[in-house]
C-alpha cells in the first residue's frame, strides 16, 4: 500500500508560496513537483478548513462552520478510510486536529502524546500553543515516521499562520517564516522521496495584509497545492481547482478509492481520470 505525507502549512497564501518557497519551486523547475492554485472553501477559518481538507466536503455538508466547534467531525476523513484498510496513521499537528478526529475537548495534560491503535489517528504528537516552533514540529513528525512507519502521516505547523496574525500577510516576518519552512522542507523532502512517499503540501486558508482570514478576498482564499508524486506530471498549473479535490486526490495516492464513501465524491472531478490527469486542463 502506498504511503503519503500530507503537509498542512497553516495560513499559507498562494502568491507568497509562489514567490518565497525557493526549494519547492526548484522542484517544479526540475520536473519533480507540481503546483496548483486552490480556491479555499468558505469560511476561510482553520477548523472548517481542516474538515474540508480531510473529507473532501464543504461546510454545508460537514457542518463545521466556526473555530469554536468542539465535537469530532460528523463525516468520514482520510484517517477513517485508512483505518478501514488497517493502515497505520499518525499526525504531528495542532490540538484541533485531535479534537476533530480522536477526542474532544483536548486535554493538554494527558493528550499531547497519543498512542491508541483504535483511534482514527493512532499515533499523535499534538501541540496546543500557536507559537510552537516549526523546528520542533518537524522533529516530532520525523520521530513518528521512523518509529511507526505510518501509511498516512500528517504534518501541521502553525508558525506561518502565527506570524501572519502578528505582523500581517504582506509583512517581512510572514515572508521570512514561509522561507524558513521551505528550508526545513529542503532537508526532509529528498529523504522522503528516496523512501518512496507521495507528498502533498497545501494550506487551509491564506492571510490578508492585516493578518486576518475568514472572509472572501483572494489573499484569504487562494492557497497552494504542491504535489510530489509520479501520479501527476510536474509543472505549474494555473487553472484554479477546488479545495474539495484534495482529499480524493490523497485517497487515490493511498489506493483507498474502493472504500471512498459518498461525501468524498461530491466534487465531480474525483474520478481517477480527472484527478490524476489534471494536466489536461492546464
Amino acid at each position: 500500500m502506498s504511503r503519503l505525507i500530507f503537509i498542512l502549512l497553516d495560513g499559507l497564501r498562494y502568491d507568497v508560496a509562489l514567490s518565497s518557497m525557493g526549494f519547492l519551486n526548484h522542484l517544479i523547475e526540475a520536473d519533480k513537483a507540481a503546483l496548483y492554485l486552490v480556491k479555499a472553501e468558505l469560511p476561510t477559518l482553520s477548523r472548517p478548513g481542516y474538515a474540508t481538507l480531510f473529507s473532501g466536503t464543504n461546510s454545508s455538508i460537514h457542518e463545521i462552520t466556526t473555530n469554536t466547534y468542539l465535537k469530532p467531525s460528523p463525516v468520514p476523513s482520510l484517517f477513517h478510510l485508512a483505518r478501514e484498510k488497517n493502515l497505520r496513521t499518525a499526525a504531528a499537528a495542532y490540538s484541533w486536529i485531535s479534537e476533530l478526529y480522536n477526542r474532544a475537548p483536548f486535554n493538554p495534560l494527558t493528550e499531547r502524546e497519543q498512542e491508541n491503535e483504535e483511534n482514527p489517528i493512532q499515533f499523535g504528537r499534538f501541540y496546543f500553543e500557536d507559537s510552537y516552533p516549526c523546528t520542533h514540529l518537524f522533529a516530532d513528525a520525523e520521530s513518528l515516521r521512523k518509529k511507526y512507519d505510518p501509511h498516512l502521516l500528517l504534518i501541521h505547523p502553525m508558525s506561518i499562520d502565527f506570524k501572519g496574525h502578528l505582523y500581517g500577510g504582506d509583512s517581512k516576518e510572514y515572508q521570512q517564516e514561509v522561507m524558513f519552512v521551505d528550508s526545513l522542507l529542503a532537508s526532509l523532502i529528498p529523504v522522503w522521496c528516496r523512501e518512496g512517499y507521495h507528498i502533498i503540501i497545501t494550506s487551509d486558508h491564506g492571510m490578508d495584509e492585516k493578518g486576518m482570514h475568514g472572509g472572501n478576498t483572494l489573499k484569504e482564499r487562494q492557497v497552494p497545492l504542491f504535489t510530489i508524486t509520479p501520479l501527476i506530471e510536474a509543472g505549474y498549473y494555473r487553472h484554479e481547482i477546488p479545495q474539495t479535490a484534495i482529499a480524493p486526490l490523497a485517497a487515490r495516492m493511498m489506493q483507498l478509492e474502493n472504500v471512498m464513501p459518498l461525501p468524498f465524491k461530491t466534487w465531480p472531478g474525483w474520478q481517477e481520470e480527472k484527478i490524476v490527469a489534471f494536466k489536461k486542463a492546464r
Side-chain angles (χ1 to χ4, degrees), residues 89-164:
T89 60
Y94 194 57
S95 60
W96 288 4
I97 297 292
S98 175
E99 289 181 325
L100 280 175
Y101 300 116
N102 280 358
R103 180 185 177 278
F106 179 81
N107 185 336
L109 297 179
T110 60
E111 296 177 353
R112 164 140 169 76
E113 296 187 5
Q114 298 182 29
E115 298 182 9
N116 185 338
E117 295 192 8
E118 301 302 316
N119 283 343
I121 301 175
Q122 296 171 298
F123 310 109
R125 300 293 181 267
F126 296 104
Y127 63 100
F128 43 89
E129 294 182 354
D130 292 16
S131 59
Y132 190 67
C134 59
T135 49
H136 293 42
L137 190 280
F138 279 102
D140 293 340
E142 273 295 273
S143 176
L144 288 168
R145 187 183 70 85
K146 292 177 180 178
K147 184 174 182 179
Y148 298 108
D149 188 26
H151 297 91
L152 172 58
L153 172 61
L154 169 63
I155 305 176
H156 174 214
M158 190 67 73
S159 60
I160 293 171
D161 183 80
F162 179 66
K163 291 295 179 68

Side-chain angles (χ1 to χ4, degrees), residues 19-33:
S19 65
S20 300
M21 304 193 88
F23 173 71
L24 289 180
N25 282 277
H26 155 72
L27 291 180
I28 300 167
E29 292 187 357
D31 292 328
K32 295 182 178 180

Side-chain angles (χ1 to χ4, degrees), residues 9 35 56 80 108-109 120 154 156 171 176 198-199 237 245 263 270:
L9 300 180
L35 173 62
H80 293 86
L109 297 179
L154 169 63
H156 174 214
S171 67
Q176 284 177 331
H198 300 281
I199 301 170
Y237 296 86
W270 73 272

Side-chain angles (χ1 to χ4, degrees), residues 203-228:
S203 185
D204 50 344
H205 56 74
M207 185 74 60
D208 73 13
E209 66 279 1
K210 297 177 182 178
M212 306 291 288
H213 58 83
N216 195 24
T217 67
L218 291 182
K219 290 181 179 181
E220 294 166 276
R221 295 200 72 176
Q222 290 188 341
V223 300
L225 169 62
F226 293 93
T227 60
I228 305 170

